[in-house]
Amino acid sequence: MLTSSRRRFLFLSTSGLVAGGAAHAQSSTPAVLLEPYYRDLEDEVALPRAPEGPPLALETEITRFAVGSCNNQEGDQSFWQGIASRNPQLFLYIGDNVYGDPGWDGGADLGSLRRAYERLNGHPQFQEFRKTVPMHTVWDDHDYGFNDGGAVFPFKRWSEHIYETFWNSPEDVRGREGVYHARTYGPQGRRVQVILLDTRFQRSPLVPPAPGQTLPVNGRYVPDTSADAQMLGEAQWDWLAEELAKPADLRVVVSSIQVLSDAHLWEGWELMPRERERLYAALGARRGGGLVLLSGDRHVGAIYRKDVPGAAQGLWEMTASSLNRPNASNAEATAREPDADRQGMCVGDANFGEVAVDWAARKVTLTVCRTDGQPLVTRSFGFAA
């Protein structure tokens, strides 16, 4: 059995890092050095597990589902009833599903992350929703490792194991590095393909501005135009191409971070322009079907439309964030981030998103709802099979 001091010693000696600061999270520690430690640790600790959720039958014709992100497990959880009030057939929980980094002491055991999942699991509202509504999940930075974290996080395989254990991830997810996956629902002619991307496990470090450099818009980073900048990693790119070659009538592509917006320099695909163009090209080469993007992360909700290659009527994206960590009023959020691609106001209220599909009219309706279920912003668009 490893004592806490032995855990700390192993962490320091294998990583060459100093606890107590964010810099340790930038280590490129070989994961293999930590494998014996984690094998022992798993015998010591009981990893939290969410209740089993109901499956969604693959033949289900999807007409309504919900999406949300950014849930502080210490905060109010009444939003689960608000989402349930819209009667979704499926819920996509797309990142920062807990906040596991506050209180992290730098230890390789990721105790604060495990406790965050335990806290979420202790809420009866979550338990009831989880047992009632089918769910797909993917992570973002705060339930992956550290704020804005990417591939250099040295404990990502242990984090992934904690995640996959809690959510009882399917075998195809457990069998790969990262938590991306896809499923297709519905009969021929009304098939919805849900693709959830992992924008963390292989993402290269973000680039800060040079000393004294003034950013043109609100944010923390500058775009990385280098050829080796990576958002997904080659294995995930290959997988995505295979998924987009499968038949579907409507494709829902989930990215935990925003794709379309150029109105800020916080995390988003705009920070890796070559990778975003690669994504547009991959989506444009899909085997038919309508297309909508879903994202979270930003602590605002909004709907966007942009003209991109391969999207004859424009590419649409809905951002749904956050479930219980709002940081501005609707007016403040709208005013602080002017965006030519945004359709309507920016929602600062705690929110979730809803996607409704009218198969007869071949129409998708996107709605950002306040967490009590009240619709705030709605836009519709048509799609071809």
Side-chain angles (χ1 to χ4, degrees):
M1 180 175 292
L2 298 175
T3 65
S4 60
S5 60
R6 170 61 178 152
R7 289 175 189 162
R8 178 61 49 162
F9 172 78
L10 180 61
F11 166 53
L12 292 172
S13 63
T14 58
S15 65
L17 302 173
V18 178
H24 65 259
Q26 301 299 321
S27 168
S28 57
T29 306
V32 66
L33 296 177
L34 290 167
E35 288 177 2
Y37 164 70
Y38 286 132
R39 284 196 297 269
D40 288 342
L41 182 59
E42 191 164 11
D43 290 337
E44 272 191 58
V45 301
L47 296 182
R49 298 172 185 265
E52 279 297 310
L56 183 64
L58 294 179
E59 62 271 19
T60 302
E61 181 180 307
I62 292 182
T63 58
R64 183 187 303 272
F65 63 94
V67 57
S69 69
C70 305
N71 172 22
N72 185 338
Q73 68 278 356
E74 301 297 337
D76 177 36
Q77 301 290 306
S78 62
F79 62 81
W80 293 113
Q81 290 98 319
I83 299 170
S85 74
R86 303 291 294 185
N87 297 314
Q89 297 165 288
L90 175 68
F91 179 63
L92 304 181
Y93 201 12
I94 65 168
D96 294 343
N97 304 326
V98 295
Y99 282 72
D101 52 329
W104 182 43
D105 63 359
D109 62 340
L110 301 183
S112 61
L113 179 60
R114 291 186 280 114
R115 290 189 293 272
Y117 281 116
E118 290 168 356
R119 178 65 170 144
L120 174 64
N121 217 22
H123 290 291
Q125 301 99 320
F126 168 74
Q127 290 261 337
E128 181 179 356
F129 188 92
R130 171 69 174 173
K131 294 174 183 178
T132 305
V133 181
M135 186 183 295
H136 286 308
T137 67
V138 74
W139 60 18
D140 199 33
D141 49 348
H142 296 289
D143 48 347
Y144 165 73
F146 63 103
N147 186 47
D148 296 352
V152 297
F153 184 49
F155 314 127
K156 61 185 180 181
R157 286 175 177 81
W158 180 238
S159 174
E160 181 178 10
H161 184 60
I162 294 171
Y163 170 98
E164 291 171 350
T165 300
F166 185 79
W167 295 114
N168 190 24
S169 298
E171 287 305 312
D172 59 327
V173 176
R174 293 173 185 264
R176 62 172 66 108
E177 291 190 332
V179 300
Y180 55 92
H181 63 289
R183 293 292 183 271
T184 300
Y185 298 98
Q188 185 173 352
R190 298 190 172 191
R191 291 166 298 194
V192 174
Q193 183 187 42
V194 180
I195 298 174
L196 298 103
L197 302 176
D198 184 333
T199 63
R200 294 292 159 190
F201 202 89
Q202 299 292 352
R203 199 218 66 212
S204 52
L206 303 177
V207 179
Q213 181 180 0
T214 300
L215 298 179
V217 293
N218 213 358
R220 181 179 289 143
Y221 305 103
V222 296
D224 183 353
T225 59
S226 64
D228 58 354
Q230 279 283 354
M231 185 68 77
L232 303 182
E234 291 306 314
Q236 189 174 178
W237 279 116
D238 291 344
W239 168 87
L240 178 59
E242 292 172 1
E243 290 297 325
L244 292 171
K246 296 177 181 178
D249 303 287
L250 176 65
R251 302 180 196 270
V252 178
V253 177
V254 173
S255 166
S256 65
I257 57 174
Q258 286 185 322
V259 178
L260 297 183
S261 182
D262 292 302
H264 62 84
L265 287 170
W266 303 106
E267 274 199 295
W269 283 75
E270 80 276 13
L271 294 178
M272 295 186 181
R274 289 173 179 261
E275 289 289 88
R276 185 164 66 170
E277 290 303 317
R278 185 175 183 179
L279 179 64
Y280 291 159
L283 298 176
R286 69 191 183 278
R287 184 180 168 184
L291 181 64
V292 62
L293 303 175
L294 300 177
S295 58
D297 178 64
R298 291 294 319 288
H299 294 261
V300 294
I303 298 172
Y304 303 83
R305 180 196 173 279
K306 178 176 279 185
D307 291 318
V308 303
Q313 299 181 11
L315 185 55
W316 290 80
E317 176 180 354
M318 178 167 62
T319 298
S321 171
S322 72
L323 290 165
N324 66 358
R325 294 194 63 178
N327 60 18
S329 69
N330 295 338
E332 290 168 338
T334 301
R336 75 185 179 191
E337 193 168 294
D339 193 331
D341 297 321
R342 193 178 64 237
Q343 308 294 301
M345 74 173 176
C346 204
V347 175
D349 290 346
N351 65 82
F352 65 91
E354 179 185 85
V355 181
V357 186
D358 183 335
W359 288 106
R362 280 296 200 260
K363 182 177 72 172
V364 170
T365 299
L366 306 175
T367 304
V368 180
C369 299
R370 200 168 56 209
T371 49
D372 61 1
Q374 178 66 35
L376 296 178
V377 182
T378 299
R379 293 292 186 275
S380 299
F381 63 94
F383 67 95

